[in-house]
Amino acid sequence: MKIIICKTYDEMSSAAAKLVAEQLNEKPTSVLGLATGSTPEGMYAELIEMYRNNAVSFAQATSVNLDEYYPIEPTNDQSYRYFMNTKLFDHVNIDKEKTFVPNGMANDPDTEGIRYEALIERLGGVDLQILGIGRNGHIGFNEPADRLIPGTHVTALTAGTIEANSRFFASEADVPRMALTMGIGSILKAKKIVLMAAGAEKKEAVMRMLEGFIDTNCPASLLNLHPDVTLICTKDAINA
Ligand code: PGA
């Protein structure tokens, strides 16, 4: 795993945005695997700035998001569809028809998982996948467990994740209990992966991943199976 350690959150955001821009400049038709949460917000802001300065174009790009709460309306301001629209898509030249997020209103979440996997396959797979990491080592909503599901699936959020995400909601009771998420297998199929981690509260999970073992109770550790992963983190998120 390649590691880039940054002094500040802003530096981390710029470094990650640079990798996304390089990807799009090299292959304008790239399929980007995108993530939500506090971690990539700065990267999206930087990408918007780069777009305004003609340093990157999303005109031919496609995006697939990692996950979405379930059930949730796309217009709900806590949905990941809403996040992506407001933090990136509304501000750059991406064709919204070519931006995909798991359908939080699907009647049958199991069928939605199958549909989403088929969609990613039809797009030719993800060229560059952006990931955050949970304090418990989760990636997407693949929570620590003895067994992990490889493909996109519906899952229950752990108590810790509900508590961590409650900062975005009026109260913890408002946090959806379920989510649709790409599986570890879907993530590992991406050609390149960039994992971002900021803040001391991520250090334990980052260090566990960097031990190099495969441990389903630290889902990020499965990234050790992938040949092209770059960790971009702030210095307080790692024992440097
Ligand atoms: P955060 O979430 O970016 O909001 O810290 C990351 C994650 O839980 O994967």
Side-chain angles (χ1 to χ4, degrees):
M1 192 173 296
K2 193 172 154 198
I3 303 175
I4 300 174
I5 302 172
C6 301
K7 285 194 201 72
T8 62
Y9 175 82
D10 287 350
E11 200 182 295
M12 176 195 73
S13 303
S14 301
K18 207 167 141 235
L19 290 183
V20 174
E22 275 170 18
Q23 174 69 38
L24 286 170
N25 290 336
E26 263 168 43
K27 183 181 175 187
T29 58
S30 290
V31 177
L32 302 175
L34 299 179
T36 54
S38 325
T39 310
E41 272 194 54
M43 176 190 75
Y44 293 136
E46 182 69 22
L47 282 169
I48 293 167
E49 196 58 32
M50 291 175 88
Y51 163 70
R52 288 183 180 147
N53 294 328
N54 294 318
V56 68
S57 170
F58 294 81
Q60 299 181 65
T62 301
S63 71
V64 286
N65 261 76
L66 257 187
D67 48 15
E68 176 61 285
Y69 288 119
Y70 185 83
I72 201 160
E73 303 255 5
T75 48
N76 183 317
D77 63 8
Q78 295 304 335
S79 75
Y80 289 168
R81 162 53 76 182
Y82 186 92
F83 177 104
M84 289 311 305
N85 285 350
T86 52
K87 304 288 181 196
L88 181 68
F89 301 153
D90 289 344
H91 311 286
V92 297
N93 62 341
I94 198 161
D95 176 357
K96 280 251 188 90
E97 298 291 315
K98 295 200 307 187
T99 66
F100 301 96
V101 179
N103 179 6
M105 291 307 289
N107 284 330
D108 176 6
D110 293 329
T111 309
E112 173 59 10
I114 294 165
R115 184 195 73 84
Y116 206 68
E117 279 300 305
L119 166 75
I120 298 169
E121 184 130 358
R122 199 166 66 244
L123 294 171
V126 170
D127 290 296
L128 175 64
Q129 177 68 54
I130 301 294
L131 294 175
I133 183 170
R135 293 180 303 196
N136 63 2
H138 76 193
I139 47 177
F141 278 118
N142 295 280
E143 301 283 22
D146 289 343
R147 301 200 297 178
L148 298 175
I149 299 172
T152 304
H153 61 282
V154 65
T155 185
L157 275 52
T158 59
T161 298
I162 292 168
E163 187 265 310
N165 289 11
S166 66
R167 69 192 193 277
F168 301 113
F169 291 82
S171 79
E172 201 169 305
D174 293 325
V175 183
R177 269 31 189 179
M178 310 282 281
L180 287 157
T181 183
M182 279 190 202
I184 296 291
S186 339
I187 293 168
L188 289 176
K189 279 188 207 160
K191 294 178 188 81
K192 284 183 218 163
I193 298 176
V194 169
L195 177 86
M196 302 170 74
E201 70 273 16
K202 300 294 173 70
K203 191 195 284 194
E204 197 181 323
V206 167
M207 293 315 296
R208 210 165 152 196
M209 170 182 76
L210 291 177
E211 282 172 15
F213 297 107
I214 303 302
D215 177 358
T216 60
N217 280 294
C218 176
S221 73
L222 277 95
L223 296 176
N224 288 302
L225 292 168
H226 195 281
D228 192 346
V229 180
T230 303
L231 165 67
I232 307 184
C233 64
T234 57
K235 60 180 186 320
D236 54 353
I238 195 168
N239 283 334

